[in-house]
Each structure stands twice: as structure tokens, then as C-alpha cells.
């Protein structure tokens, strides 16, 4: 079904612009036209569909649901919820404060905040269509594990000791028995098909507006890689033989920040050019999961020491995951 | 009527503030519109996502950038 985009790409590059199939520019342009249209098409459908299904699930409900759950259930559920909730870095702090005030353990809150930027339905469905089911499952499993293990780690090191005053205040709120339930006057509307449609349409416009430029940039870089890097090049330099390529990829991902949708076309090209699966995965996770905007936000509730430990933990996790997958595949 | 727009100061919070201003103007009511960016105050409202709107101290909307029309229906309720 997606072949139509390849044909479109061929048409634009070889028929309209008259470029040669063997030329680098021709290949790059074909890839660009093919991938951008394909991704925009998929994005449109996916965002709408998922938002339609997801309407009515908000973080207040999630907090209510997580409240009082046992530790093990908590980490798993929080990771899962994080995976299906769209991420906005400006909401990291209210979420952190809101969850903590409601007596949700720090680790469980962090499990949510770890998976939220890394996994979103849009990215999953893009991955599925472009990379196939195997890679997608790997990515999701790694993301969820990062959330669960990260959450456990945070609680193990007693992170409450390393909160900024505002974070401490939230934790104290939780300890204060007189402030047991968070009441809001929010109007809980019941949802019907029309409301779901309206929500889905709004979400589509919002998310698409946020994401489209990343897709263009991502596919642009991917096109360059596709057309101008020879097939064996990456494999010869960074093939599975070199163990250091994984931590290098993870480190490279730190200063780079991209929406999950933007990094996918780039990763697609790298994989096609021979970058090992684990290394590609490690790079993707690092770009999306260890992002400067989110960390700048978290800096306001976490003391530098905690932030650093948290950061390092993520990097170590991504590296190990990368190594494991390079071994398996 | 006191309307507070809660949020840490990102672009979305500014948009919501504008929506509220417009709604109030359209409705021609008298209302005090405040921006609350200090987390020390925001935490008291017990919300989990911003931007949010509180009317006379009660949280009426969270995590959404409402359009002026939507703010209006909130105010009318």
C-alpha cells in the first residue's frame, strides 16, 4: 500500500526533474519526495485515530489511577501510561509536582516521565510502517524497561533527598494528612463520537503543526545519507565489530534533540546503510529520551546531583540496551 | 470574578491567557485576569498539566490551550 509513495518519489525525481537513478542527487531527491509524503500521510491517519481513541484520558485521571497502587504495579502502569500520553516538556513540572503531592512515589512519577517523550503512538506507528514490527517491538520494550528500571533506580537511591525546595514542598504536601484529596472543579464531560472527533481533529492540528518541520529536517538529513553515503561506508566504520560505536552513538544523541518523528527517517537511512540495529536504537533513544528541554525543566525540581545521576542512568541503560541488541541481531 | 491562568511561562500559557482576555472582552464582563507562573502557588491547585484555568479559586480546565469560544462556555457555566 505504501508503494504509491515510492512511485511518487520516482516520478518527481526521475520524470519531473529528469535526474538519473544512479546519481546521488537523484537518489536523494527520490528518497525525500517518497518519505515526506509517506510520513505525512501516515502521521495524518495515526494522529487522528489514536487521538480519537485516547480522548478523555488525561493526566489527572492517570494520577487518580496510580494513587495507592503497589510499587511493582505502579512502575509498570506509569511506564505504560507515559507511553500512550503525548509529551509536552512544559507539563513535566506540573506533572511532577501534581503526582508527588498526591503521594505517588518519586520513582513511579519518573517512570512516567521517562517513557513519555520516548514512546508515543505516532512514533510507534511510524516505526512499524517504516522499520517493520521487529524493530518497533524492540524500541517499545526498551522504552518501557527504561521507565520501569529507571523508576526503581530513582527510589532505590532515595531521590527524595535531592529535590529542590519546590519538589520538597510537593513531597511534604503528600505527607500532610489534612490535604488528602486533590479537588478540582473541572467539568467532567461525557464523551460521544462527535466530541471524540472534535478532540481528534484538534489534536491532529496541534501535533502536526509541532511535528511537520522535524519531519522535513529529518527526512532531509535522511535523504542526504541515502543519496550521498555509499552503502558499505557506515558498516565498515561502525559495524558490529566496534563496541565503542554504541556509547559513541548515545553520547552523540545527547546534544541532538528531535521529536521522535524527526529522528525516524534519519535512523531509517542509517540502518539501511549498515548501522547495526542496537547502535541505531541507542542513538534514537538518546536523541529522544535524553533531551535538553526536558532536563532544563526538571532542573527546577531536582537538585543538580539528582539530575546528573538520572541522566547518567539513562545513558548507561541505552548503551547496555544497544550492546545487547547488537549481540542478538 | 477572578480568572487565573496557571502555567510556567511557555508559549501555550501565553496563548491561553490571550484566549481568556478575548473571551472576557467578547462577553463584556468584569473579571480580573491573572497569570500565575510561580510553581509555589501553582502547586496549591493540585493540577498535573498546564496551562490551566482557575475561576475564583476553582480549577476548571487543565492541560489545554482553550480557544476564546471554549473559555466563554467555561465562564458561562
Amino acid at each position: 500500500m505504501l508503494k504509491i509513495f515510492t512511485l511518487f518519489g520516482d516520478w518527481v525525481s526521475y520524470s519531473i526533474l529528469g535526474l538519473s537513478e544512479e546519481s546521488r542527487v537523484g537518489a536523494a531527491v527520490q528518497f525525500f519526495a517518497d518519505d515526506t509524503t509517506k510520513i505525512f500521510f501516515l502521521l495524518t491517519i495515526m494522529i487522528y485515530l489514536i487521538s480519537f481513541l485516547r480522548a478523555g484520558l488525561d493526566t489527572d485521571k492517570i494520577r487518580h489511577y496510580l494513587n495507592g497502587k503497589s510499587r511493582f504495579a505502579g512502575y509498570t502502569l506509569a511506564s505504560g501510561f507515559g507511553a500512550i500520553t503525548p509529551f509536552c516538556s512544559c507539563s513535566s513540572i506540573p506533572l511532577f509536582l501534581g503526582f508527588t503531592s498526591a503521594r505517588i512515589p518519586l520513582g513511579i512519577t519518573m517512570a512516567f516521565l521517562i517513557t513519555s517523550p520516548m514512546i508515543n503512538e505516532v512514533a510507534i506507528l511510524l516505526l512499524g510502517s517504516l522499520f517493520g514490527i521487529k524493530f518497533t517491538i524492540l524500541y517499545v520494550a526498551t522504552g518501557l524497561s527504561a521507565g520501569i528500571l529507571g523508576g526503581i533506580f530513582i527510589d532505590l537511591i532515595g531521590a527524595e533527598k535531592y529535590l529542590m525546595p519546590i519538589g520538597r514542598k510537593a513531597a511534604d504536601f503528600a505527607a500532610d494528612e489534612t490535604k488528602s484529596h486533590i479537588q478540582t472543579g473541572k467539568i467532567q464531560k461525557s464523551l460521544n463520537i462527535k466530541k471524540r472527533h472534535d478532540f481528534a481533529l484538534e489534536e491532529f492540528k496541534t501535533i502536526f503543526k509541532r511535528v511537520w518541520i522535524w519531519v522535513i529536517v529529518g527526512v532531509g538529513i535522511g535523504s542526504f545519507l541515502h543519496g550521498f553515503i555509499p552503502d558499505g561506508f557506515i558498516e565498515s566504520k561502525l559495524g558490529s565489530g566496534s563496541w565503542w560505536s554504541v556509547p559513541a552513538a548515545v553520547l552523540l544523541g545527547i546534544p541532538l534533540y528531535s521529536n521522535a518523528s524527526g529522528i525516524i527517517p534519519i535512523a531509517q537511512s542509517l540502518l539501511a546503510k549498515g548501522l547495526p540495529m542496537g547502535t541505531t536504537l541507542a542513538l534514537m533513544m538518546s536523541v529522544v529520551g535524553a533531551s535538553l528541554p526536558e532536563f532544563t525543566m526538571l532542573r527546577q525540581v531536582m537538585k543538580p546531583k539528582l539530575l546528573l545521576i538520572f541522566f547518567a542512568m539513562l545513558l548507561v541503560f541505552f548503551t547496555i540496551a544497544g550492546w545487547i541488541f547488537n549481540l542478538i541481531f | 470574578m477572578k480568572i487565573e491562568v496557571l502555567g510556567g511561562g511557555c508559549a501555550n500559557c501565553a496563548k491561553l491567557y490571550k484566549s481568556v482576555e478575548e473571551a472576557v472582552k467578547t462577553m463584556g464582563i468584569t473579571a480580573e485576569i491573572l497569570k500565575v507562573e510561580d510553581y509555589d502557588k501553582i502547586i496549591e491547585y493540585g493540577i498535573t498539566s498546564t496551562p490551566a484555568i482557575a475561576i475564583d479559586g476553582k480549577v476548571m480546565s487543565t492541560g489545554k490551550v482553550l480557544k476564546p469560544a471554549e473559555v466563554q462556555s467555561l465562564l458561562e457555566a
Side-chain angles (χ1 to χ4, degrees), chain B residues 25 27 34 36-37 39 45 58-59 65-66 72 74:
Chain B
K25 203 159 79 162
M27 288 170 76
L34 297 163
V36 182
E37 291 184 2
Y39 285 113
Y45 288 93
K58 262 173 81 185
V59 176
V65 181
L66 300 174
Q72 240 182 286
L74 265 191

Side-chain angles (χ1 to χ4, degrees), chain A residues 2-307:
Chain A
L2 296 175
K3 187 96 167 73
I4 191 171
F5 299 104
T6 314
L7 294 173
F8 175 75
D10 288 344
W11 182 65
V12 168
S13 182
Y14 310 138
S15 304
I16 303 222
L17 295 174
L19 297 163
S20 154
E21 270 184 57
E22 273 95 60
S23 77
R24 291 180 180 172
V25 180
V29 171
Q30 191 278 341
F31 184 86
F32 187 82
D34 180 350
D35 245 28
T36 37
T37 45
K38 182 160 58 189
I39 291 180
F40 282 143
F41 172 75
L42 288 173
L43 269 183
T44 304
I45 300 188
M46 306 311 184
I47 300 176
Y48 182 86
L49 263 181
I50 302 295
S51 301
F52 190 90
L53 294 170
R54 213 184 7 90
L57 176 69
D58 64 14
T59 46
D60 283 348
K61 283 218 184 92
I62 295 175
R63 169 177 61 184
H64 186 79
Y65 195 69
L66 287 175
N67 205 332
K69 290 280 184 294
S70 72
R71 289 285 173 148
F72 180 66
Y75 297 124
T76 315
L77 285 171
S79 276
F81 281 127
I84 62 177
T85 309
F87 181 71
C88 164
S89 29
C90 52
S91 265
S92 311
I93 300 184
L95 190 123
F96 184 96
L97 296 175
F99 274 32
T100 307
S101 315
R103 281 196 294 260
I104 294 178
L106 229 61
I108 294 181
T109 303
M110 287 319 297
F112 183 95
L113 287 176
I114 290 172
T115 53
S116 198
M118 283 208 285
I119 305 178
N120 59 69
E121 343 73 75
V122 171
I124 292 178
L125 292 156
L126 274 181
L127 282 174
S129 335
L130 300 177
F131 286 76
I133 207 84
K134 187 165 79 175
F135 191 87
T136 309
I137 293 183
L138 270 186
Y139 184 83
V140 173
T142 311
L144 290 175
S145 315
I148 299 175
L149 294 174
I152 296 177
F153 178 82
I154 288 284
D155 280 338
L156 273 179
I157 63 170
E160 302 82 28
K161 306 199 285 283
Y162 304 103
L163 296 177
M164 295 290 272
I166 185 67
R168 268 256 57 91
K169 186 168 177 181
D172 292 341
F173 253 56
D176 186 343
E177 288 296 313
T178 62
K179 295 176 160 79
S180 49
H181 287 288
I182 313 287
Q183 296 283 13
T184 69
K186 234 170 34 157
I187 304 170
Q188 291 287 10
K189 287 185 274 210
S190 56
L191 291 172
N192 55 26
I193 301 237
K194 162 115 183 41
K195 294 220 182 85
R196 281 188 180 270
H197 164 78
D198 291 340
F199 177 77
L201 206 57
E202 259 321 298
E203 282 291 280
F204 165 71
K205 284 194 224 154
T206 313
I207 298 179
F208 197 88
K209 256 202 293 217
R210 189 168 66 211
V211 155
W212 77 270
I213 190 72
W214 295 109
V215 173
I216 300 269
V217 170
V219 180
I221 297 178
S223 309
F224 174 78
L225 292 173
H226 181 85
F228 289 85
I229 307 276
D231 274 337
F233 182 78
I234 293 186
E235 185 143 27
S236 59
K237 303 279 180 217
L238 302 166
S240 8
S242 48
W243 64 268
W244 52 265
S245 64
V246 175
V250 172
L251 287 173
L252 181 66
I254 301 174
L256 300 176
Y257 165 62
S258 163
N259 193 283
S261 321
I263 191 66
I264 290 173
I266 300 177
Q268 183 190 14
S269 300
L270 291 172
L271 252 187
K273 292 294 180 190
L275 193 67
M277 207 171 239
T279 315
T280 312
L281 197 74
L283 177 68
M284 280 182 72
M285 308 228 101
S286 177
V287 169
V288 183
S291 82
L292 251 21
E294 188 192 356
F295 276 57
T296 314
M297 286 276 139
L298 286 178
R299 170 75 183 80
Q300 297 186 51
V301 290
M302 291 181 168
K303 288 214 172 107
K305 188 167 176 183
L306 177 58
L307 205 56

